[in-house]
Each structure stands twice: as structure tokens, then as C-alpha cells.
């Protein structure tokens, strides 16, 4: 069965081909694979174009399929690999899921980002409350009252430095708490901040909204609406709720936070903060001792979901029906290794995945892979079904949260590609090697998508909202397009590097360039053109 | 979360929790419950817990409906009588609309 799942489709041939060749089992099997390939191309022709458009996750997913073949070729002979019954269906499922959850996720990320920006821009343009700054945040003591640009400049610089140091301190605090396993403190922190946003800031928003549209309302109704909205939001974000609702709340919360920033940050400071935060993002995610990187590695060491997520994910992250209960797979680094060939385990973060995959042929695997051994897998599954709420609680707690706090926003600011299919491929391979009952395998499919931190939503929206607050639609749309292009490029880099990447730097840089270029060059040019009636 | 992948007892438990939560003046939670479990209750092939889920969904729907009607009628009554009720109504008003010049 695994040979069938090993067929690399032409969509990702360029990327997966190399590893595929390295792991290629004996020649006879290769031929079988090619045969299977042909049949699969026939069946999945319609979807193949889909995969070809966006190779990002399809690469990941397909590669995962290729891994069992290598191990199976080592464990059993080629005869087993192509002959067993459930193979094609399994492969079809993987294929289908790969295409279904692969390409769509990239698009799925565009929709919420656009929605968030839309909410912010609409609010900025319809509610004048968010357009004027009269009260300031505590973190920005310099208010840019002076008319001199130089004074404004150093004010903005000082403000953004203060704000950034707060961010850094909060992030480090978060890392320390996480390292010390103070999950309750972190949870409390997140719940408190989401509570504040969902009740207090939403209350202000509702008031200004009603005032802007001159809609009468009495206090009992307002209180009832706030109570319902807030409690449902807390349930959806921190506990369990429909995915759409949760996504909607996360988008709204991000938009609200962006509005708070636009409202309470002085003019130049907002721009300076945008630039500074994207640089910080770059450092925190990519530098060897960057806090977010430490976070990722710690989470990986502990076999946990990546940190209390503050993350918008395009699908459910929800592991408790999986046959294996190792959230380890959700880590970007782990998946990256799982998808690249295990023989290339030279970085420190790759060791676990490598150990797992190499140890898998023997049932008595090393301690690190104990949770993925079939016996444990089954007990885990049983335990989860007996006591699903605990498992869910954990899964929910680590994925659905978000916060308004600065450090959390930093923590959110990362994109990860998650390929559960690869993870499932791994768990399936244990199963097939040691206990070939593949009836449960379809259940093991989890959904994974590309994740984007809520902080990215917030700062994208701040940029677009700030641009739109000048009342110029050309600039606004230029910013919007620039940010989406930046996001596209980030996703492209994600496909190449396959590790957690900061989503802010490219997008924000593009956005800032486009914004100032448009308002300084394009807009006067257009105005001049229309004044001279060139367009007529 | 994806409700279609949860085991049946879990579905029932969630549905019941949402229904019970709705009693805390939370018709919105009832509405969520109805939307969320509608397919489970009426479209899925039958399973043991389905009858109870169906009952909770129907009750939630009734509750939502009652709340909606009550709220709308209260708003209409209040807004039409606000001027007549005088200072009390003004005191209860969250937003008093401004007249247009």
C-alpha cells in the first residue's frame, strides 16, 4: 500500500524529486510506483492543476506519502508494498486531502486577512472616533505635539523604542513562563486579555458604532448584547465552538486591536512601530537565540502543540480523534524534518523526527518515539475516547488562544506550514510495519493548514487602516495589494525553507514602501493628470 | 472544532453544555447550538444519542425564538414610549439619537 502512496505527482516533482530519489527503494518497486503513478494521474487529473498552482503544502503532503515506502522497503519486501488491499483507498484519501487542504489553505489565508483589513478600513472610514488621537497609550509618553518634523521624528523613535522594549520584555517573560511550565499563568493571562478585548473594547466599539449611525439603544439591550457576544466569544476562543465562529471572533478581535493601535498611537509613532515590529519579528523568529525560535524548540522537545497559539489556523487543529496523540507533528520544524528526507538530519531540531522514523521498524523504539509506537497509540486513543474532554481541553487550550498583550502578539507572529498528512504518514507507517490493521487509518486524518499569527492580522490591519485614515483610496488599495503580495512571497519562502517564518517583514516593508510611494508620488501624479483632464 | 469528527457521547455532552449555558441569559449561545448541531440532529443517520441532541436543539431553537421576539418587542415598546416615559427612559438609554437639522 505504501508504494502507492509514494507516488510523487508532477505538481511537486521539482521539490520532492530529490528526496524521493534518495529514498528510492529497489528498482522493481520503482517500476511499480511508476505504474501506480500513471493510474493516479488519470484519476486525479482534475485536481492536478490545483496542486500545480500552489505547490506549497502539496509538496509537504506528498513527501509524507513517500516516506512510508522507504521504510517499508527496508522492513518488508517490495511485494507487500504494492499488493495490500487498502492501499489505493488510503492513497486516494491522502491524495485528495493533499489537494484539498493544500492549495486551498493559501487562499483561505487571504480571505481572513482581507476580511480583517476590511473591517478596520470600514470602521476607520465610518466612525470618526477611531480617526482622531486624543488619548494616548501609557507606552507612548511623547505625544508629537510639536510642529517640527525633527522633534516628531525623535518622539516617534523614542515611543517605538519604548514600545518595542515592552514587547521584548513581555516575550521573554512569556518564554520564561513557558519554560517553567506555568501554563495556568499563561492561560490566565490570555483569558484576561481576551476578556478585556471582548467586553471593554467591544463595548466602546458598540457605543461608537451606534453613535456614528445614530441608532437608538437602551441599556438593557446593550448589556444583553454585550453579555451574549462576550460570553460566546470566550467560549468559542478558549473552549469549544464552531470553527467559523472562532475564526470570526479571532478576526474581529484582531481588527479591534488594530483599531486600538490606530486610535491611540500618535501619527509618526504608528509608522515607526510598524517598521520596528517587523524587524523584531525577523529577529525573534530567525535568529538562533530568538525567543520565538526558543519557543518552537521547547514546544518540540515537550511534544506539545506550538505555544498557546494566538494563531489563526485555516482549519481545525484538533487532535483527539487522531490515532496518535503526539502534537509534536504540529511543530513547524518537526514537520519540516519529517518532510525532508530523514537522512539529512544535521540540524539540532531535526533529531526527534529522525529518531522516530528510523526507529520505527522495531516495535521497541527509543524513548523519544514511545508515544508513536502502535501499542501506545492504541492506548492513547482509547484513553482519549474514554476521557475526551481532557484531551480536547489540552488541544483547545493550545490552539485557540490569542491575547491582546504585546508579547503574545509577538508570539503569534509566525507562519507555519503544518502537514499532518506527513505526520499521519509517519504514524501509519508504524502501523503498517508492526500491525497492519489499516482500518483505522482514515480516522487518523487530521486537518492542518497554514497558520498565521493574529499579530500579523493586527499589524497588517494597522498599516492599511492607517493608510486609509488619510482618506485616500489609492493609497489604501496600494497597501492592501502590497501586503497580500508580501504574504504570497512569504508563503513561497515557506515552501522553499519549510520552517516557521516571520510573516511581517516582507509584507510590512512592501506596505510601507507602497504607502509612501503612492501618497507621495502616485497620488499627486494622478491628481495632476485628472486636473489636466488627461483621462477624458 | 470539527463536530463531525467527535464521538457521539462527546457531541451530546457539548450540545447539553451549550443548552445549559444558554439559560444564563445567553440566547446567542442557544442560536449557536442550533446552527452547530442542526445537521447532527436532523441530517445524520440515526445513532443512540441523536434523540437527545435533537431535543436540545429544538429547545434551543424555541428559546432563541422566544428571546428574539421578547427583545424585539421590548425595543419597539421602549423606543416608541421613550419620550413619554420621561427621565427614567432617558436614564435607561444607551444612545439617544440626535435629531437631524
Amino acid at each position: 500500500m505504501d508504494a502507492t502512496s509514494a507516488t510523487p505527482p508532477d505538481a511537486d516533482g521539482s521539490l520532492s524529486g530529490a528526496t524521493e530519489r534518495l529514498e528510492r527503494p529497489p528498482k522493481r518497486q520503482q517500476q511499480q510506483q511508476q505504474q501506480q503513478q500513471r493510474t493516479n494521474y488519470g484519476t486525479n487529473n482534475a485536481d492536478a492543476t490545483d496542486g500545480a498552482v500552489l505547490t506549497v503544502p502539496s509538496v509537504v503532503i506528498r513527501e509524507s506519502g513517500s516516506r512510508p515506502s522507504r521504510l517499508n522497503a527496508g522492513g518488508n519486501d517490495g511485494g507487500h508494498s504494492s499488493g495490500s488491499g487498502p492501499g489505493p483507498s488510503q492513497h486516494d484519501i491522502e491524495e485528495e486531502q493533499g489537494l484539498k487542504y493544500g492549495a486551498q489553505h493559501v487562499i483561505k489565508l487571504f480571505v481572513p486577512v482581507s476580511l480583517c483589513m476590511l473591517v478596520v478600513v470600514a470602521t476607520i472610514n465610518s466612525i470618526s472616533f477611531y480617526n482622531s488621537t486624543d488619548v494616548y497609550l501609557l507606552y507612548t509618553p511623547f505625544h508629537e505635539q510639536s510642529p517640527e518634523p525633527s522633534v516628531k521624528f525623535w518622539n516617534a523613535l523614542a515611543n517605538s523604542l519604548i514600545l518595542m522594549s515592552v514587547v521584548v520584555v513581555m516575550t521573554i517573560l512569556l518564554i520564561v513562563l513557558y519554560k517553567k511550565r506555568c501554563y495556568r499563568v499563561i492561560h490566565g493571562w490570555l483569558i484576561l486579555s481576551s476578556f478585556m478585548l471582548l467586553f471593554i473594547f467591544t463595548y466602546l466599539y458598540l457605543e461608537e458604532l451606534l453613535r456614528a449611525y445614530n441608532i437608538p439603544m437602551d441599556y438593557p439591550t446593550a448589556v444583553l448584547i454585550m453579555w451574549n457576544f462576550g460570553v460566546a466569544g470566550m467560549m468559542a476562543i478558549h473552549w469549544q465552538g464552531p470553527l467559523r465562529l472562532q475564526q470570526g471572533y479571532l478576526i474581529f478581535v484582531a481588527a479591534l486591536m488594530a483599531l486600538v493601535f490606530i486610535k491611540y498611537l500618535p501619527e509618526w509613532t504608528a509608522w515607526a512601530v510598524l517598521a520596528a515590529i517587523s524587524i523584531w519579528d525577523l529577529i525573534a523568529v530567525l535568529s538562533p537565540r530568538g525567543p520565538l525560535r526558543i519557543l518552537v524548540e521547547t514546544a518540540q522537545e515537550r511534544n506539545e502543540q506550538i505555544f498557546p497559539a494566538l494563531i489563526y489556523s485555516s482549519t481545525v487543529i484538533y487532535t483527539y480523534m487522531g490515532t496518535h496523540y503526539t502534537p509534536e507533528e504540529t511543530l513547524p520544524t518537526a514537520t519540516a524534518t519529517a518532510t525532508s528526507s530523514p537522512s539529512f538530519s544535521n540540524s539540532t531540531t531535526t533529531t526527534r523526527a529522525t529518531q522516530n522514523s528510523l526507529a520505527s521498524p522495531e516495535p521497541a523504539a527509543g524513548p523519544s518515539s514511545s508515544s508513536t509506537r502502535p501499542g501506545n497509540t492504541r492506548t492513547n486513543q482509547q484513553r482519549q475516547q474514554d476521557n475526551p474532554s481532557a484531551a480536547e481541553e489540552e488541544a483547545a487550550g493550545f490552539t485557540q488562544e490569542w491575547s491582546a498583550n504585546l508579547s503574545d502578539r509577538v508570539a503569534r507572529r509566525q507562519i507555519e506550514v503544518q502537514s499532518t498528512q506527513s505526520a499521519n504518514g509517519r504514524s501509519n507507517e508504524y502501523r503498517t510495519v508492526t500491525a497492519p490493521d489499516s482500518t483505522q487509518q482514515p480516522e487518523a486524518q487530521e486537518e492542518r493548514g497554514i497558520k498565521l499569527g493574529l499579530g500579523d492580522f493586527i499589524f497588517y490591519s494597522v498599516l492599511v487602516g492607517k493608510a486609509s485614515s488619510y482618506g485616500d483610496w489609492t493609497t489604501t488599495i496600494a497597501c492592501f495589494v502590497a501586503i497580500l503580495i508580501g504574504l504570497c512571497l512569504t508563503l513561497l519562502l515557506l515552501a522553499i525553507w519549510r520552517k516557521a517564518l516571520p510573516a511581517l517583514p516582507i509584507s510590512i516593508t512592501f506596505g510601507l514602501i507602497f504607502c509612501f510611494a503612492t501618497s507621495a508620488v502616485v497620488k499627486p501624479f494622478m491628481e495632476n493628470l485628472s486636473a489636466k483632464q488627461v483621462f477624458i | 472544532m470539527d463536530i463531525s469528527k467527535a464521538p457521539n457521547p462527546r457531541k451530546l455532552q457539548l450540545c447539553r453544555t451549550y443548552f445549559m449555558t444558554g439559560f444564563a441569559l445567553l440566547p446567542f449561545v442557544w442560536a449557536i447550538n442550533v446552527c452547530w448541531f442542526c445537521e447532527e440532529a436532523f441530517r445524520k443517520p440515526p445513532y443512540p444519542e441523536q434523540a437527545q441532541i435533537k431535543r436540545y436543539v429544538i429547545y434551543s431553537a424555541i428559546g432563541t425564538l422566544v428571546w428574539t421576539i421578547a427583545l424585539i418587542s421590548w425595543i419597539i415598546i421602549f423606543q416608541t414610549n421613550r419620550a413619554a416615559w420621561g427621565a427614567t427612559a432617558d436614564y435607561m438609554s444607551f444612545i439617544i439619537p440626535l435629531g437631524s437639522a
Side-chain angles (χ1 to χ4, degrees):
Chain A
M1 58 159 286
D2 294 307
T4 59
S5 61
T7 60
D10 49 358
D12 55 342
S14 57
L15 272 171
S16 72
T19 45
E20 184 63 24
R21 242 162 267 133
L22 285 171
E23 301 172 356
R24 189 54 58 91
K27 237 180 188 173
R28 180 167 55 90
Q29 201 188 350
Q30 199 174 350
Q31 287 165 358
Q32 284 171 351
Q33 282 178 354
Q34 281 169 358
Q35 274 182 348
Q36 293 283 350
Q37 264 181 12
R38 262 173 236 127
T39 57
N40 282 322
Y41 290 163
T43 53
N44 289 317
N45 240 352
D47 292 335
T49 52
D50 208 359
V53 175
L54 294 160
T55 53
V56 186
S58 57
V59 168
V60 170
I61 287 153
R62 288 320 152 50
E63 286 247 316
S64 70
S66 76
R67 297 182 61 259
S69 81
R70 182 185 61 85
L71 284 168
N72 241 8
N76 312 330
D77 259 342
H80 165 71
S81 54
S82 70
S84 64
S89 65
Q90 164 81 18
H91 172 61
D92 283 349
I93 289 167
E94 275 187 22
E95 186 91 346
E96 192 191 339
Q97 288 221 337
L99 291 166
K100 195 173 167 192
Y101 300 117
Q104 281 181 359
H105 275 166
V106 181
I107 302 301
K108 272 184 184 170
L109 215 52
F110 274 34
V111 175
V113 168
S114 307
L115 270 179
C116 188
M117 292 180 193
L118 193 73
V119 170
V120 171
V121 169
T123 309
I124 291 284
N125 281 296
S126 59
I127 303 177
S128 57
F129 170 78
Y130 286 103
N131 228 333
S132 60
T133 306
D134 39 13
V135 187
Y136 296 92
L137 287 179
L138 189 65
Y139 312 111
T140 55
F142 306 105
H143 294 168
E144 299 181 7
Q145 309 284 13
S146 161
E148 301 238 344
S150 58
V151 179
K152 277 190 177 185
F153 179 74
W154 79 253
N155 274 355
L157 212 63
N159 279 338
S160 59
L161 273 182
I162 292 170
L163 208 58
M164 288 320 297
S165 50
V166 171
V167 167
V168 172
V169 167
M170 289 294 197
T171 314
I172 291 170
L173 182 67
L174 195 71
I175 303 292
V176 169
L177 283 178
Y178 189 61
K179 277 268 187 193
K180 305 241 181 236
R181 296 175 186 269
C182 302
Y183 294 140
R184 284 176 185 277
V185 179
I186 297 173
H187 272 239
W189 182 0
L190 295 179
I191 287 173
L192 191 73
S193 44
S194 62
F195 180 87
M196 269 181 59
L197 265 181
L198 278 178
F199 286 93
I200 298 170
F201 287 101
T202 310
Y203 181 80
L204 290 177
Y205 185 80
L206 179 71
E207 186 177 357
E208 294 305 324
L209 189 76
L210 293 174
R211 187 164 286 155
Y213 287 103
N214 214 4
I215 299 168
M217 184 166 281
D218 53 323
Y219 267 111
T221 315
V223 167
L224 186 76
I225 290 174
M226 286 306 308
W227 170 244
N228 275 275
F229 183 83
V231 171
M234 295 295 273
M235 282 173 80
I237 293 173
H238 292 285
W239 194 57
Q240 285 149 7
L243 180 69
R244 292 276 163 214
L245 192 76
Q246 191 195 350
Q247 288 173 338
Y249 268 110
L250 288 179
I251 291 171
F252 178 76
V253 153
L256 211 56
M257 201 62 220
L259 286 173
V260 167
F261 270 117
I262 294 171
K263 162 88 181 154
Y264 294 109
L265 285 183
E267 182 84 42
W268 289 37
T269 305
W271 297 110
V273 162
L274 279 176
I277 205 103
S278 58
I279 294 169
W280 166 246
D281 198 22
L282 202 63
I283 295 169
V285 177
L286 292 182
S287 80
R289 303 304 299 169
L292 294 186
R293 189 167 173 150
I294 292 175
L295 193 70
V296 165
E297 287 170 5
T298 313
Q300 189 190 2
E301 276 168 23
R302 294 184 192 168
N303 272 357
E304 285 170 354
Q305 286 265 6
I306 185 113
F307 188 61
L310 328 163
I311 276 178
Y312 179 96
S313 66
S314 45
T315 43
V316 187
I317 319 166
Y318 173 52
T319 47
Y320 97 87
M321 269 309 280
T323 47
H324 54 282
Y325 185 52
T326 48
E328 159 207 15
E329 291 87 25
T330 58
L331 294 178
T333 38
T335 44
T337 24
T339 52
S340 63
S341 94
S343 52
F344 287 152
S345 64
N346 35 15
S347 100
T348 53
T349 56
T350 63
T351 47
R352 177 174 305 279
T354 315
Q355 272 181 357
N356 279 349
S357 51
L358 291 182
S360 58
E362 305 106 349
S368 71
S369 67
S370 63
S371 53
T372 46
R373 268 184 292 150
N376 272 0
T377 311
R378 224 160 284 135
T379 51
N380 269 341
Q381 191 185 14
Q382 270 184 350
R383 195 187 61 205
Q384 283 160 33
Q385 280 173 354
D386 291 341
N387 187 10
S389 60
E392 261 181 352
E393 205 106 289
E394 195 172 339
F398 274 87
T399 54
Q400 299 168 351
E401 295 171 344
W402 66 273
S403 115
N405 288 306
L406 291 169
S407 63
D408 302 329
R409 257 177 270 122
V410 176
R412 273 174 251 161
R413 205 166 312 113
Q414 49 192 347
I415 283 188
E416 344 162 22
V417 159
Q418 306 215 321
S419 63
T420 323
Q421 271 76 19
S422 81
N424 285 329
R426 205 185 323 159
S427 72
N428 287 346
E429 105 200 0
Y430 303 132
R431 193 171 288 272
T432 41
V433 168
T434 55
D437 55 337
S438 50
T439 51
Q440 296 176 358
Q441 281 176 4
E443 289 175 27
Q445 303 296 337
E446 295 166 36
E447 299 169 19
R448 288 279 188 267
I450 292 171
K451 294 191 197 168
L452 189 63
L454 277 197
D456 301 316
F457 281 82
I458 292 171
F459 286 102
Y460 292 167
S461 303
V462 167
L463 180 65
V464 175
K466 203 71 196 165
S468 80
S469 70
Y470 302 124
D472 179 20
W473 282 102
T474 322
T475 313
T476 310
I477 290 168
C479 277
F480 174 71
V481 171
I483 283 175
L484 287 191
I485 290 172
L487 194 57
C488 266
L489 283 179
T490 312
L491 292 173
L492 195 70
L493 290 180
L494 200 63
I496 296 169
W497 288 338
R498 294 186 202 161
K499 61 179 195 173
L501 287 181
L504 281 180
I506 301 175
S507 287
I508 295 292
T509 311
F510 272 31
L512 289 175
I513 292 171
F514 271 55
C515 179
F516 288 115
T518 310
S519 64
V521 178
V522 178
K523 192 188 161 205
F525 179 62
M526 299 288 279
E527 276 172 355
N528 224 344
L529 285 184
S530 56
K532 297 266 162 66
Q533 298 195 335
V534 174
F535 289 136
I536 293 181
Chain B
M1 63 176 285
D2 192 357
I3 198 64
S4 62
K5 289 191 177 175
N8 293 333
R10 182 72 192 140
K11 286 178 199 165
L12 178 62
Q13 193 191 336
L14 265 178
C15 189
R16 188 192 291 131
T17 313
Y18 265 75
F19 178 68
M20 292 302 175
T21 314
F23 281 107
L25 300 181
L26 288 168
F28 189 42
V29 172
W30 275 340
I32 294 168
N33 199 15
V34 172
C35 299
W36 200 14
F37 285 97
C38 196
E39 197 180 343
E40 283 298 326
F42 298 107
R43 305 233 180 95
K44 286 283 167 72
Y47 50 87
E49 289 88 355
Q50 201 182 31
Q52 273 178 291
I53 289 181
K54 201 181 283 181
R55 215 176 64 214
Y56 286 129
V57 166
I58 290 171
Y59 287 162
S60 298
I62 293 170
T64 313
L65 207 66
V66 168
W67 264 103
T68 314
I69 292 167
L71 196 65
I72 289 174
S73 48
W74 159 252
I75 290 172
I76 290 171
I77 289 169
F78 182 83
Q79 297 304 336
T80 47
N81 291 315
R82 182 172 54 84
W85 289 355
T88 324
D90 281 358
Y91 184 68
M92 282 171 71
S93 286
F94 182 49
I95 298 284
I96 297 177
L98 303 170
S100 55

